Amino acid sequence: MQVTRRPGATDATGRVAASAGKAFGGALKHYEPDMDSTTTTHTPTGGRFAVSRLNVPPIEDVPAGAQGILDNVGAQLGFVPNMFKTIASNPTVLEVVTTLQGTLSRVLDAKTRHSIALAVSQANGCSYCLAIHTYVATEFGCMSGDDIELGRVGSSVDPKRAAAARFAQRVVDSRGQVSDAELAGVRGAGYTDPQILAIVAVTVQFLLTNFINNVNQTDLDIPAVGSVDTTVAQ
């Protein structure tokens, strides 16, 4: 996927931004809010995007390094999610988040990563992450509504992906203290030890953004999702 860098952006900044785009599993299009939708969206006021708890700098006050990353994220995704606008106040944290996302986009397949994202975000009660991962998984991950709902409860329509999502959710719930039986279960589903390390790493990646968005209570710039039936068979 071609990255379009703004004039003056450094090669390093471009690489970080390209990594952020790859994390979403391909070229994304701009989300235009449905004016007939009941979902609440927020628009800029005086150059500042409204968020619940952490300050977001006006566009003109974003540090240069962070602005370059935001420009490239916008070029990749078609818009800059509110999460990235918030993190842009600290360019180092923004670089950490986007670099981690891009690097871990190379492990596992996209649908498995989407399923893990949904499972982890549900376990952490992150409404913003659930919304954005549901949107991306639907629009660009070619995942059905049933598969997305199953992902949220640590399962999937695919048995192998179900094992990864379930294990990721157990990693969160147990703070990594998974049982021998749970480890044997994910191995039994066909995952090698290096792949299990990848599942844990991807889980931690989503823990980071879950925690950031939960602390911030980030305003939704994508459709909200409803509750999920936790009695769905896993």
Side-chain angles (χ1 to χ4, degrees):
M1 178 164 47
Q2 183 65 37
V3 179
T4 304
R5 291 200 295 271
R6 70 180 179 91
T10 66
D11 288 342
T13 296
R15 285 194 297 271
V16 170
S19 294
K22 290 177 184 177
F24 288 86
L28 305 187
K29 60 187 178 184
H30 177 52
Y31 166 64
E32 292 291 350
D34 180 356
M35 297 308 292
D36 296 324
S37 171
T38 58
T39 301
T40 301
T41 58
H42 300 266
T43 53
T45 302
R48 183 180 295 274
F49 281 79
V51 292
S52 294
R53 299 207 288 190
L54 298 180
N55 291 325
V56 179
I59 296 300
E60 63 271 17
D61 291 343
V62 172
Q67 186 61 62
I69 296 174
L70 292 184
D71 287 349
N72 282 279
V73 168
Q76 289 284 342
L77 307 186
F79 76 112
V80 181
N82 283 342
M83 177 186 77
F84 291 105
K85 293 172 186 169
T86 301
I87 302 173
S89 66
N90 188 320
T92 301
V93 175
L94 181 64
E95 182 173 351
V96 167
V97 169
T98 53
T99 300
L100 183 62
Q101 289 178 337
T103 301
L104 290 178
S105 71
R106 303 199 301 266
V107 303
L108 307 171
D109 62 272
K111 283 188 176 181
T112 298
R113 296 196 311 274
H114 290 320
S115 294
I116 292 171
L118 292 161
V120 172
S121 298
Q122 181 70 37
N124 285 313
C126 182
S127 58
Y128 185 87
C129 295
L130 281 170
I132 198 162
H133 290 305
T134 294
Y135 175 71
V136 171
T138 300
E139 296 296 323
F140 312 104
C142 300
M143 291 176 65
S144 68
D146 286 345
D147 204 11
I148 288 170
E149 183 169 301
L150 285 167
R152 290 177 61 182
V153 296
S155 190
S156 171
V157 297
D158 176 80
K160 187 173 182 179
R161 267 197 288 128
R166 182 163 53 249
F167 186 74
Q169 210 164 59
R170 284 301 302 142
V171 168
V172 174
D173 291 341
S174 70
R175 299 180 183 177
Q177 301 291 333
V178 296
S179 67
D180 289 344
E182 288 163 339
L183 190 57
V186 73
R187 281 179 174 145
Y191 289 100
T192 64
D193 284 6
Q195 289 173 323
I196 292 170
L197 288 173
I199 293 171
V200 175
V202 171
T203 297
V204 172
Q205 170 199 326
F206 294 120
L207 279 175
L208 173 58
T209 48
N210 285 175
F211 288 175
I212 288 172
N213 287 306
N214 280 345
V215 167
N216 185 38
Q217 296 180 3
T218 308
D219 281 351
L220 289 171
D221 45 0
I222 43 176
V225 297
S227 60
V228 67
D229 183 1
T230 56
T231 65
V232 173
Q234 299 186 37

